[in-house]
Every structure is written in C-alpha cells, then in structure tokens.
Amino acid sequence: MPKEPPVVDIHTHIYPPTYLSLLRSRKTVPYLLDLADKTLPPRLIILPSDDDPSLPPESRGRPIDVSYSSIEEKLKFMTNHHITTSVISLANPWLDFLPPEEGPKWATTINNELESLSTCNPGKIYAFATLPLSAPPQAIIQEISRLKTLPHIKGIILGTTGLGSGLDDPALNPIWSSLQSHSLLIFLHPHYGLPSSLYGPRAHEYGHVLPLSLGFPMETTIAFTRMWLSGVFDRYPGLKLLIAHSGGTIPFLAGRIDSCVQHERHFPEDQGTKTRGPIRSLDTVLKDNIYLDAVIYSGTGIRAAIEKVGVEKVLFGTDHPFFPPLEEGEKKWKSVFTNLDAVTEGQDGEGAGAGAGAGKILGGNAIELLGLEVG
Amino acid sequence: MPKEPPVVDIHTHIYPPTYLSLLRSRKTVPYLLDLADKTLPPRLIILPSDDDPSLPPESRGRPIDVSYSSIEEKLKFMTNHHITTSVISLANPWLDFLPPEEGPKWATTINNELESLSTCNPGKIYAFATLPLSAPPQAIIQEISRLKTLPHIKGIILGTTGLGSGLDDPALNPIWSSLQSHSLLIFLHPHYGLPSSLYGPRAHEYGHVLPLSLGFPMETTIAFTRMWLSGVFDRYPGLKLLIAHSGGTIPFLAGRIDSCVQHERHFPEDQGTKTRGPIRSLDTVLKDNIYLDAVIYSGTGIRAAIEKVGVEKVLFGTDHPFFPPLEEGEKKWKSVFTNLDAVTEGQDGEGAGAGAGAGKILGGNAIELLGLEVG
C-alpha cells in the first residue's frame, strides 16, 4: 500500500501537568477544583459564570479528564485519526491572569515542558509557546528571544486581549516587532467571548451553544479587525497570523468590512476626528499575512477560507480535546471527521472539494510553513 | 434590444415624512435634530452614543438628507441602477421605542403611507410593513390582520429584540402564529449592535466601522440562532424569514453552530438543566424557512449564502440609502455595484458566478416569492 500523505493537526490543545498544578493552587477564576470523589475528574472553573457556589461542585465549570493533560492520550487520539503530527498549544486562558512578576517563570517552565514533550516524540509533536503577557514588555520579549533556543517551538498562541486592552494597543509594537524578527507564527485564539447579556434571559436553556458557537468566532473577528484597522500590518508587514476557527467570521464578512471602511472615509468629520483606513487593504493582508485553520465544520466554511487567503494558507486542525464524541468511549470523533470531510469531500457532498489542495490543507501547508519533520 | 430581466431590490429603506415628523417631535433618543443652518440636513440621533452634547449639533448622529425620505429620490436611484422594483421598508429603529399606547396608531399611519407610495408607483414600489411591537400582543395581531387589506404590503420588517427580550421569547408565539397564517414574510434586520465596550478604548479612531461591519451581522446571527434554538421553527414550520446582510454570519457559522449543539447534548447535566437542540436541524430550517438577501459585498459571501439556503432563496438588495458613494453627487453607487458584481461576475472574478442563478437572485426569486407585478 502506498504511504498515506501526512496529516498535521495545527489546532490541538493541552494543559500540561505543570499548568494544572498552577490552576490547582488557585482559589479564584481560573482554577481547578478537585472533587471529593476522586474517581471523577477535577473541574476547571474558567469563566466567572462557572464559579457558582449554588451549584454542586461536580456541576461547576467543566470536567478536565486525562484527554486534556496527557500526551499519551494525545498520541492515542492521533493514531485513531491517522494524524501524523500535532502542533500542540496550551489551552485558554494561558497565562493572561497571572500577576506580572509570576508570568515569566511560568512561561519558561511551561514552554520548556512543551519543548520536552516534543523532543520525546520526534516527528510527532511540535508546539506553539505561551507568552507571559501580564509581565512588562521587556520580559515578554526576553521569552520570545529565548524560544529560538527551543527547536520544536514553531510559534506562539495569543488570546484576543493582548496586554489587556486588545490587539490594537500600540504598547504591543515591540512584541509584534520581536515576533516578526524571530519569524514566529502567531496563533490567534479566542477565550473571553461576548458579554452574556447578549444571549438574553433564556440562554441557560441552550447550554454552552451560544458562547461557544457564536461568542468565540465573533471575539476573534473583532480582535483581528481592530488589529488590522490600527495598522499593525502596515508597521509589521512580515507578521504571520494563524487565526483559529477559520478566522472566526472574517472570510464571510471581509467584503462588508472593506465596504464599511470605504464608506467611513466619506464622512470622517462625523466622528470629530480624521478617520482613515489602514494603508494595506484587508484583501492584501488576508493574502500576505493571514493563515486560517480548517476548524469550521462545513465545506462552505472551508471554501470561503480558501477563497480569501488561498489554498496554501488553510491548515487542518481538530480542536482536540474539545468537542469529544457524544458516546463515552467512542474512538472516532465526529467533530474531527466533520472537519476532515469538509476538506476532502467533493463539490456534491458537504465538503470543499479542494481536490489537489486537500493534501496541502491536511498537512503539506503546515510542513512547509513551519519546517516540520514529520513521521 | 431585448428587454433586460427585471431587477428587484428587496433591502431598501425609507423614513417616510410621517416617521420623520414623529422623530422630530421627540427630545430623547431616537430623535431628529434640526440645525440652525437650514441648508444643512437634520441629524438623526439614533444611538445613545450619538446623543453627545459635547459635540456641535452638526456633528451629532448622522445627516438625514432627502435620499432618506423622498420617494422621488428612491425612484431616481432605481433608474440610475437599472432597478425595476423596490420593496421598501422603514429604516431602524422602526417603532420599537414608542410607549405601548402610541404604537398602533403610528403603525397604521406609516403602513398606510407605505401602501400609498406603492399604489402611486405601480410595478415600481412594494413595501414591508412595520409592527407596533411595544403594544400589547392583541394590538400587534390586529395590525398584522389589517395588513391583508393593503395589497402592496408583502411582509413585515422586524428588529432583533422582538417584544423586548429577543426572538426566543415565548410571548411572541401568537405573533409568529399570526404572521404564519397570513403568509407574511418576516424581514429580520439588525439595529442595536453589540456593546461598545467590545470595540475597545481606541474604537473612536475607526469611526462606525466596527459597529456597522461587525456589530450588525453579529447581532443578527445571535437573534436568529436564539430564535431557532428556542424551537420557533418547530412550532411554526410555515414561517418564512428573510435575513438581512446575507444572514449576518450564519452561512459561515452554520457548521460550527450545528457541531456545538451536538456536543452540548453530550453533557446536559453540566448545565443543571436538560438541554436539547431544536427538533428541526439548522440545515433543514435554512433550506425550508430561510431567505437571505445578497447584501454581503463579496462573491465569497454570496456563494456561501447560495450553498446554505439554495440559489432560489437569495435575493438582491442595496441597503439604499446607506453606503452612499465617496464623492458627492456621484450617480452610480459603488456599494450597489459591489453587490451586483458579487452576484453576476464569474468564478474567476470576485463574483459568485451564479450563472443562470444570477437572474433569479437579481429579481426572479423576489417576484415569485412575493407575487410581484413588476415593470
């Protein structure tokens, strides 16, 4: 049988043991809550709304079983889904919540741990590092520089708040500059969602559906659009940004965003300030600087992603260990196959029918972009 | 020369004179502010953030020139863009803000005015009515019933808040029931956007770009998803909903929404309440109940819309008089041509390459759906 072309999972998370110990040591959000019944997994209290003492402990937040923390479970999952190589990243909320003085040491420890997981699994595991964003810029830049000594670290994961006030914050300039000069890919990932008031008084009837399916991609879209509007890609044209969940909603809204920017130029005096769009158009930035993962669960989404950034800039991902199968113990994850089928299936099915592009999306693009040695 | 196939504009707004007089009589948001210099158009103070006494009057809110209120201007615009027929609708914020007892009389007056604009321009103008949503349900239903006596009223325009708490409000059931039994199309349109805090401390530098390009489609997406999750389309399977701006972001996010609903069923106990998805899947509802306008400014957007609801359920629109041209006095509106090209241009351009479907989207679908006599 001919060897299958490699499959690279670019969007796959882990809470390594050190990170769980950090969360376990805390008593305020985010924190890990061990249950009295030790046969049950601990609960991660990640959002203020999870921290509800009126609920029994076993109903607060979400269960964090071994699939979240064990590299063996990750490798089993990869085998079951014919994934050759995973580029793992710390799951949210990363280190955003730490006091400034504690960020750097935790970042160093966790990034070293990610590097060591990679070294022990050659060709199977690479990683995106995490940055101590609550620390002073100089400490963040120091960690970015240090990452070049860790050969399996291929980029960094970044939430939407940056240093606290969004990715259009000019205080991020030295960070962008450092990431650009070290050619580190930035993996932009949501965490904070939208205010729960938007989901209305009956939101609890829909579980996590609204914040997870809408809040996450909308948060991502707003964060990226602010970043672009503020001229980050004018100042750092070499930045490479991989946007989670196929860009949130950017491929679909790009035309509308562009149209609004052009319209705004028509009456800047309305704002009492001179408004201008960024120098580099959204289309140019999408083509030059933006990569999108293929975690969008539909052929329609993948096609839109391909059209906006090009087939060589869309990269397969699973979002493991999130979206597990409906039935306990099921080895094949429906969420994974929905995304796989969306890339590989033909025009008549639900898939993107990417044809020759499918191999690139499933692995070739990641291998080339990050210089991976897979297998 | 062969006669051009008809073009129908399904998304085109007006503030008829009576509505402007209503706004002019008010001193709180929303209201119309006449300027001392009568050569300048009055300003519409539509959002609380517009009502800023620190700005000079001529910089507050937005200018409302004759293109917003004059049917002659609408007809000129139609001629300039080869639009055969327009289905006009009141622009936001409709009548949502009225005290309960005042809603019905204003709705009756304005709907009669829309009917009369249509009667005076046969084959050129039809309309979507507005409902007195702040009034008691019985009064709303009475106005819905009365609309059947107005032959040019082909549906109703609806904001995202319904009776005040969203479109998943069970108190809307009699309204849905009445709209279904009278076969009135519901045109779902955004107004309230997202909280401005989401756009961060530098949002003023970007003018209206973030609320208009992102807030509007996100508001629409959330409103529809709540409506679907609450089972409205299970209870009223005959409802027909036309969603503005090609569904906000629904075509792109449909796969993710569906995936999240399936995932949620896996651990309903986490919410302390039994969570279930609606009986009719999102795909079924999109295919059976949902129409999308073609106001998305890109071929990528139109293609995604067509894929999700079918080529016979996407309908051309302009969003006139919003998004006027950059240069004063320009007769051809770029925003209109961007949307036209998105429908008609080939696969190699930016357009959807809808081929034979282009004629349907530009006019045929609206004529058939609403039973229009055009020309």
Side-chain angles (χ1 to χ4, degrees):
Chain A
M1 241 176 73
K3 203 169 174 314
E4 292 272 323
V7 174
V8 178
D9 184 355
I10 199 88
H11 186 159
T12 178
H13 297 296
I14 195 163
Y15 290 124
T18 315
Y19 188 73
L20 287 186
S21 73
L22 165 61
L23 291 178
R24 195 167 257 125
S25 72
R26 294 170 52 85
K27 297 288 165 229
T28 54
V29 174
Y31 69 99
L32 201 68
L33 179 65
D34 284 309
L35 299 177
D37 180 350
K38 296 296 173 202
T39 65
L40 294 174
R43 312 289 297 191
L44 178 60
I45 317 298
I46 196 170
L47 295 172
S49 58
D50 293 335
D51 198 18
D52 181 354
S54 76
L55 291 175
E58 63 274 16
S59 296
R60 287 180 219 161
R62 55 200 76 179
I64 297 295
D65 63 19
V66 287
S67 69
Y68 287 81
S69 57
S70 151
I71 196 71
E72 288 72 32
E73 290 295 317
K74 183 74 75 188
L75 292 163
K76 263 191 243 171
F77 166 82
M78 289 164 62
T79 303
N80 288 339
H81 296 87
H82 307 286
I83 292 165
T84 321
T85 303
S86 289
V87 185
I88 58 176
S89 49
L90 191 62
N92 45 319
W94 315 290
L95 303 174
D96 294 6
F97 53 87
L98 285 179
E101 65 282 6
E102 290 193 25
K105 72 173 179 201
W106 282 106
T108 300
T109 306
I110 287 165
N111 292 335
N112 287 348
E113 195 168 6
L114 293 172
E115 172 66 18
S116 131
L117 290 173
S118 307
T119 310
C120 297
N121 295 283
K124 292 267 150 220
I125 302 289
Y126 285 89
F128 293 134
T130 190
L131 296 180
L133 288 174
S134 59
Q138 203 42 51
I140 306 173
I141 289 168
Q142 202 171 322
E143 181 62 14
I144 293 173
S145 303
R146 199 188 68 87
L147 293 177
K148 295 310 276 185
T149 67
L150 308 179
H152 296 89
I153 299 293
K154 295 298 182 180
I156 60 113
I157 190 166
L158 182 72
T160 58
T161 54
L163 304 176
S165 79
L167 303 184
D168 54 356
D169 183 354
L172 279 164
N173 284 339
I175 318 289
W176 302 132
S177 173
S178 176
L179 288 166
Q180 176 180 261
S181 68
H182 288 94
S183 299
L184 282 163
L185 182 69
I186 303 163
F187 180 25
L188 174 60
H189 194 286
H191 164 62
Y192 298 90
L194 302 183
S196 59
S197 61
L198 280 174
Y199 306 130
R202 289 162 293 275
H204 60 280
E205 296 176 23
Y206 319 133
H208 291 113
V209 170
L210 292 167
L212 212 54
S213 69
L214 306 185
F216 260 32
M218 291 173 179
E219 174 193 351
T220 308
T221 303
I222 294 169
F224 165 75
T225 307
R226 287 171 58 183
M227 185 177 172
W228 168 66
L229 283 171
S230 74
V232 169
F233 298 99
D234 296 335
R235 293 193 293 283
Y236 308 101
L239 276 189
K240 289 190 189 307
L241 191 70
L242 168 68
I243 312 183
H245 312 118
S246 296
T249 64
I250 294 159
F252 189 72
L253 290 182
R256 181 173 175 89
I257 297 168
D258 192 45
S259 197
C260 284
V261 167
Q262 292 185 27
H263 176 250
E264 197 62 29
R265 284 181 180 143
H266 182 50
F267 52 99
E269 74 281 6
D270 271 11
Q271 295 304 304
T273 170
K274 185 156 169 43
T275 306
R276 64 151 189 85
I279 298 161
R280 299 179 65 218
S281 77
L282 183 53
D283 262 353
T284 307
V285 168
L286 289 175
K287 294 278 187 253
D288 287 356
N289 304 86
I290 303 306
Y291 296 75
L292 301 175
D293 73 24
V295 184
I296 189 68
Y297 310 93
S298 75
T300 297
I302 299 286
R303 270 188 290 277
I306 292 173
E307 286 176 22
K308 285 298 169 193
V309 302
V311 72
E312 70 292 338
K313 306 221 325 305
V314 179
L315 293 81
F316 176 72
T318 63
D319 218 345
H320 180 263
F322 300 96
F323 301 93
L326 301 181
E327 301 303 324
E328 193 89 23
E330 234 171 292
K331 281 189 177 169
K332 303 282 185 187
W333 289 34
K334 184 168 187 291
S335 58
V336 175
F337 283 96
T338 304
N339 279 315
L340 264 177
D341 291 350
V343 174
T344 57
E345 274 188 16
Q347 196 75 30
D348 296 324
E350 259 301 300
K360 294 185 186 178
I361 294 173
L362 293 182
N365 292 339
I367 292 170
E368 191 171 320
L369 173 65
L370 304 176
L372 309 181
E373 293 179 17
V374 307
Chain B
M1 241 177 73
K3 203 169 175 310
E4 292 270 323
V7 174
V8 178
D9 183 355
I10 200 85
H11 186 160
T12 178
H13 298 295
I14 195 163
Y15 290 124
T18 315
Y19 188 74
L20 286 186
S21 73
L22 165 61
L23 291 178
R24 195 168 256 127
S25 72
R26 294 169 53 85
K27 297 287 166 229
T28 55
V29 173
Y31 69 99
L32 201 68
L33 179 65
D34 283 311
L35 299 177
D37 179 349
K38 294 297 172 202
T39 65
L40 294 174
R43 312 289 298 190
L44 177 60
I45 317 297
I46 195 171
L47 295 173
S49 57
D50 294 335
D51 198 18
D52 181 353
S54 76
L55 290 175
E58 62 274 18
S59 295
R60 288 181 218 161
R62 56 201 73 180
I64 297 297
D65 64 20
V66 286
S67 70
Y68 287 82
S69 58
S70 151
I71 196 72
E72 288 73 30
E73 291 295 316
K74 183 75 75 188
L75 292 163
K76 262 191 241 170
F77 165 83
M78 289 166 60
T79 303
N80 288 339
H81 296 86
H82 307 287
I83 292 166
T84 323
T85 303
S86 287
V87 185
I88 57 176
S89 49
L90 192 62
N92 45 319
W94 314 292
L95 302 174
D96 293 6
F97 54 85
L98 284 178
E101 64 283 6
E102 289 193 26
K105 73 173 178 202
W106 282 107
T108 298
T109 306
I110 286 166
N111 292 335
N112 287 348
E113 196 168 4
L114 292 171
E115 172 66 20
S116 131
L117 290 174
S118 307
T119 309
C120 297
N121 296 283
K124 292 268 150 219
I125 302 288
Y126 285 89
F128 293 134
T130 191
L131 295 180
L133 287 174
S134 59
Q138 202 41 51
I140 306 173
I141 289 169
Q142 203 172 322
E143 181 61 14
I144 294 173
S145 302
R146 198 187 70 87
L147 293 177
K148 295 311 276 187
T149 66
L150 308 179
H152 297 89
I153 300 293
K154 295 298 182 179
I156 59 113
I157 190 166
L158 182 71
T160 59
T161 55
L163 305 176
S165 79
L167 303 184
D168 55 354
D169 183 352
L172 279 164
N173 284 340
I175 318 289
W176 302 133
S177 173
S178 176
L179 289 167
Q180 176 180 261
S181 69
H182 288 94
S183 298
L184 282 164
L185 182 69
I186 304 161
F187 181 25
L188 174 60
H189 195 286
H191 165 62
Y192 298 91
L194 301 183
S196 59
S197 61
L198 281 173
Y199 306 130
R202 290 162 292 276
H204 61 279
E205 296 176 24
Y206 319 133
H208 290 113
V209 171
L210 293 167
L212 210 54
S213 71
L214 306 184
F216 260 33
M218 291 173 180
E219 173 193 352
T220 307
T221 303
I222 294 170
F224 165 75
T225 307
R226 286 171 59 181
M227 185 178 173
W228 168 66
L229 283 171
S230 74
V232 169
F233 298 99
D234 295 335
R235 293 193 293 282
Y236 307 102
L239 277 189
K240 290 190 189 307
L241 191 70
L242 168 68
I243 312 183
H245 313 118
S246 296
T249 64
I250 293 159
F252 189 72
L253 290 182
R256 182 171 173 91
I257 297 168
D258 192 47
S259 196
C260 283
V261 167
Q262 291 185 26
H263 176 251
E264 198 61 31
R265 284 182 182 143
H266 183 51
F267 51 99
E269 75 281 8
D270 271 13
Q271 295 305 304
T273 170
K274 187 158 168 41
T275 307
R276 62 152 190 85
I279 297 162
R280 299 178 66 219
S281 77
L282 183 52
D283 262 353
T284 307
V285 167
L286 289 175
K287 295 276 186 253
D288 288 355
N289 304 87
I290 303 304
Y291 295 76
L292 302 175
D293 73 24
V295 184
I296 188 68
Y297 311 92
S298 76
T300 297
I302 299 286
R303 271 188 290 277
I306 292 174
E307 285 176 22
K308 284 299 170 192
V309 303
V311 72
E312 70 291 340
K313 305 219 332 301
V314 179
L315 292 81
F316 177 72
T318 63
D319 218 346
H320 179 264
F322 300 96
F323 301 93
L326 302 182
E327 301 303 326
E328 194 87 24
E330 232 170 292
K331 280 191 176 168
K332 302 282 184 186
W333 289 33
K334 185 168 188 288
S335 58
V336 175
F337 283 96
T338 304
N339 278 316
L340 264 177
D341 292 350
V343 174
T344 56
E345 275 188 14
Q347 196 76 30
D348 296 325
E350 258 302 300
K360 295 185 187 180
I361 294 173
L362 292 182
N365 292 338
I367 292 170
E368 191 172 321
L369 173 65
L370 303 177
L372 308 181
E373 292 178 18
V374 305

